[in-house]
Amino acid sequence: MKIVRFRYEDRDRIGALEGDRITELDGPLDALKPAAGARPIALSAVRLLAPATPGKIVAVGVNYRDHAKEMGRELPAEPMLFIKPSTAVIGPQDGIVYPPQTRRLDYEGELAIVIARTAKNVEEKDARRYVLGYTCMNDVTARDLQRLDVQFTRAKGFDTFAPLGPVIETDLDPSDLQIETRLNGETRQKSRTSNLIFGCDYLVSFISRIMTLLAGDVISTGTPSGVGPMQVGDTVEVEIEKIGCLRNTVVPPR
Ligand code: MG
């Protein structure tokens, strides 16, 4: 199932996308069911929102060997984690704002895990029971500020720095999917999730032993090599096999 969140008739809703039709869903994330009296809604009649509303985004740094090399970093012995604030989330039809404080705004195409239910001290073999599905994320980064700071909070935390979407695919084995990032239609990143140093199930388990993961929380699994800058007016696309294409445009500060 492809889960979307959308605005229709002035209300934010969750639904299942099939072709160009959405069926509204109801209930908690781990027990979604068709809403009472739901009629199919045309995709063209709605505004798509980020498919998850995470309380926190736990992101993983240097989780592809080739990206570690391009950043001049050693391969990590354990996942290197940081948090992006919930206020950074935007949907597939929103603009990435180029902040005035940076001169180097980078895209990072990533596979993101969406949590379905409270997860604490989860075994790796049980991890998928706690996962709703997978979506595309752009871990937008002010690279110059990341290099200036010890912590990543400023460089990764601006409003609009976490585009998510367009859908959460629930029926998916995430272990070997093609991931590609395009800037104005040109391929800049291309890899497979089989190149992740720490895979999805391992990350759910590892993180759940540190902090409780709640329904809707997002884990962004890291980016392959090929990160690079965006300018105002650029369109950036993160496409993952069997999920879809997350497309956003870079806009000037408001
Ligand atoms: Mg990243």
Side-chain angles (χ1 to χ4, degrees):
M1 180 167 60
K2 286 186 157 54
I3 293 176
V4 289
R5 286 182 61 259
F6 60 102
R7 177 160 292 180
Y8 179 66
E9 292 180 339
D10 293 330
R11 192 161 66 79
D12 293 354
R13 306 158 193 254
I14 190 164
L17 177 67
E18 267 189 283
D20 57 0
R21 297 271 160 181
I22 301 170
T23 302
E24 190 175 349
L25 301 174
D26 210 354
L29 287 184
D30 60 350
L32 290 169
K33 56 179 180 3
R39 289 172 292 110
I41 300 167
L43 178 59
S44 58
V46 312
R47 179 176 178 81
L48 281 184
L49 308 171
T53 52
K56 57 183 171 294
I57 300 167
V58 187
V60 185
V62 288
N63 199 20
Y64 283 83
R65 287 177 179 78
D66 47 1
H67 178 57
K69 193 175 173 194
E70 79 177 346
M71 299 300 283
R73 298 184 67 128
E74 308 243 315
L75 290 190
E78 296 186 294
M80 196 282 283
L81 306 179
F82 59 94
I83 285 193
K84 289 172 82 93
S86 59
T87 41
V89 173
I90 57 171
Q93 294 178 259
D94 298 326
I96 298 165
V97 176
Y98 200 121
Q101 297 96 322
T102 183
R103 297 290 173 86
R104 171 72 192 240
L105 186 71
D106 278 12
Y107 53 81
E108 291 189 1
E110 307 196 359
L111 173 72
I113 305 165
V114 182
I115 297 296
R117 61 174 66 94
T118 302
K120 172 79 179 164
N121 293 333
V122 170
E123 301 275 347
E124 185 176 352
K125 66 178 173 48
D126 299 328
R128 292 196 195 180
R129 296 216 306 255
Y130 296 86
V131 171
L132 177 62
Y134 304 88
T135 189
C136 310
M137 161 126 176
N138 190 340
D139 175 20
V140 178
T141 302
R143 193 70 68 199
D144 50 351
L145 302 183
Q146 185 186 25
R147 294 204 165 105
L148 280 175
D149 293 350
V150 174
Q151 297 277 347
F152 289 180
T153 307
R154 174 167 68 150
K156 301 275 193 177
F158 284 88
D159 288 0
T160 78
F161 272 26
L164 270 182
V167 305
I168 300 167
E169 176 57 68
T170 61
D171 304 311
L172 188 63
D173 178 348
S175 57
D176 186 23
L177 301 171
Q178 179 171 288
I179 176 167
E180 180 170 348
T181 308
R182 293 182 292 272
L183 191 69
N184 301 321
E186 269 183 35
T187 300
R188 296 297 172 92
Q189 297 186 283
K190 192 169 189 175
S191 188
R192 300 195 69 84
T193 56
S194 50
N195 295 322
L196 283 168
I197 300 170
F198 303 105
C200 290
D201 297 348
Y202 183 86
L203 289 172
V204 170
S205 173
F206 182 86
I207 295 166
S208 80
R209 294 173 194 279
I210 301 162
M211 64 191 86
T212 301
L213 293 165
L214 301 176
D217 281 353
V218 166
I219 298 170
S220 202
T221 59
T223 201
S225 64
V227 299
M230 306 179 286
Q231 309 299 335
V232 168
D234 285 350
T235 295
V236 60
E237 295 171 298
V238 178
E239 182 161 11
I240 301 176
E241 185 184 358
K242 296 177 183 165
I243 298 176
C245 182
L246 170 67
R247 183 180 296 110
N248 299 91
T249 297
V250 182
V251 298
R254 291 172 273 215

